[in-house]
Structure formats: structure tokens, C-alpha cells
Amino acid sequence: MNRRAGIVLATLMSIALLAIVGISVTLIVLASIKDEPEPVAFCPTDLNGPVLSSSRLDGHTEPLSASGPRPTIFVHDGYNVSYLFQQEQVPQWEYRDKAQLVVCEYTHSLQKHASCPDDSGKFGRIPVFRTTSTFVVYEAATKKALGKFDLPGTQYTCPSVVRYEVGHEEEVKVVGHADARQIVTQLRPYVEPT
């Protein structure tokens, strides 16, 4: 093989290798995008942000009924936490097939409040933070905000077992949450209008 043919062959092999690497990188990027789960509902990623254009709720909404209870999906940090309705004896509020309301909870304003004992002795005391939670109520079918309210997050339980990642010990803390009964009381006019 002459030198010129060798250079052409090496160049073609380099181009082919780059193409393969490029395709592999593209496939990895696409796979990682696809692996990210679609959010449960269209709640904005932050309190003052726009609603998301798509979610798993798409196609599972219906217009508001004149009376209640209106099927409601309760979302905190992108996760469905509708077990609250079971816990507070209002399971008829819970979204099953079609949602009429979406409640998005945002926890903010962490302030050190108290501490919990650490039975393992690893941390001494575990800090407890009081929070504020803002709840925004949306009409599910239109994504229109209907109202919002704030509640203090002072409810907490000291853990019996502390789990943490090695190297992240300083992140171990207990975060207060809003009283579930107060959440239900505030939501009642939206879910069960009179």
C-alpha cells in the first residue's frame, strides 16, 4: 500500500471512529434524558416559576365540578403525597383517574428551631429546622392558579435511626413540616365548595 492510500485509509478510519463516538455520546445523552421521570403534575419547579408544559397528569384532568369533593392531587417536590388525604380521613378527596385540582407545596425559610438526641452518639444532637410551606392550588384542566396560603412547618418526629452518606454528615437534620390538619382545613373551600 502506498503512503497516500495509507493516509486516506487512516483518515477514513478516524472519521468513522469519531462518528461512532459521536453516536455513542448522543445515545448516552438521549438515554439519560429519557431516564429522567416525567413529573407527576405540572407544578412549577420553584414557587414563582411557570407551570410545566407536560407531566404524567396530561390527559387525566376534568373541569371543576360545582360541588365537591373535587378529586385532588397533592404534590411536594414533584412527588405525589396524596397519602395525606388518607391520613386525615378525607380519602374521597384523593385523585384516582381524573384530577380537578392540583396542590403544589413549596418548603422554604429553614430556621434552626430545636434538636433531637442521637442514640448512636455519632452526631451528639441532630438539629431541627422550622420551615414555612407555601401551598398553591391550581385548576387541573386549565393550570390556572386559584389561590395560595402559607403554613408554618413546626411538626417533626425525632428519628430512631439516622441514615446518611459518608462525607455528608453535616447535612443530617430534621426538617419540620406543616400540620396535616391545618392543610386540610385550608384546602376544604377549594375541594368542597359550598
Side-chain angles (χ1 to χ4, degrees):
M1 180 186 316
N2 67 25
R3 185 175 170 173
R4 187 170 183 199
I7 292 172
V8 170
L9 182 59
T11 303
L12 289 174
M13 288 177 62
S14 296
I15 290 170
L17 181 61
L18 286 173
I20 290 169
V21 169
I23 290 168
S24 300
V25 169
T26 302
L27 290 175
I28 290 168
V29 169
L30 289 176
S32 66
I33 290 170
K34 191 174 182 178
D35 287 345
E36 226 174 86
E38 196 164 29
V40 172
F42 53 76
C43 293
T45 53
D46 61 66
L47 180 57
N48 298 312
V51 294
L52 302 179
S53 59
S54 68
S55 71
R56 284 185 270 161
L57 195 58
D58 293 350
H60 298 280
T61 64
E62 62 187 8
L64 292 177
S65 59
S67 62
R70 295 169 169 167
T72 303
I73 185 167
F74 188 108
V75 180
H76 175 78
D77 291 338
Y79 297 99
N80 180 353
V81 289
S82 61
Y83 63 83
L84 167 81
F85 300 146
Q86 294 280 347
Q87 173 189 334
E88 290 306 307
Q89 307 302 310
V90 285
Q92 67 277 14
W93 288 16
E94 200 164 354
Y95 151 79
R96 287 180 178 76
D97 300 318
K98 300 278 186 181
Q100 293 182 19
L101 294 172
V102 174
V103 179
C104 306
E105 179 185 4
Y106 300 91
T107 302
H108 48 92
S109 306
L110 269 70
Q111 297 175 329
K112 193 165 180 185
H113 172 62
S115 63
C116 286
D118 172 28
D119 295 337
S120 72
K122 171 90 177 159
F123 301 100
R125 307 278 303 167
I126 301 167
V128 175
F129 288 84
R130 180 175 29 212
T131 62
T132 299
S133 288
T134 299
F135 301 84
V136 184
V137 182
Y138 290 92
E139 182 178 357
T142 64
K143 300 183 181 181
K144 175 186 171 193
L146 301 175
K148 71 178 179 178
F149 57 92
D150 291 328
L151 288 174
T154 55
Q155 305 293 307
Y156 67 92
T157 304
C158 289
S160 54
V161 176
V162 179
R163 291 190 171 87
Y164 62 94
E165 273 188 58
V166 176
H168 294 271
E169 291 84 355
E170 73 283 349
E171 295 174 18
V172 172
K173 61 181 169 279
V174 175
V175 178
H177 55 85
D179 184 308
R181 290 166 300 182
Q182 289 182 9
I183 297 171
V184 167
T185 299
Q186 292 285 336
L187 288 178
R188 194 171 298 281
Y190 298 101
V191 183
E192 296 180 341
T194 53

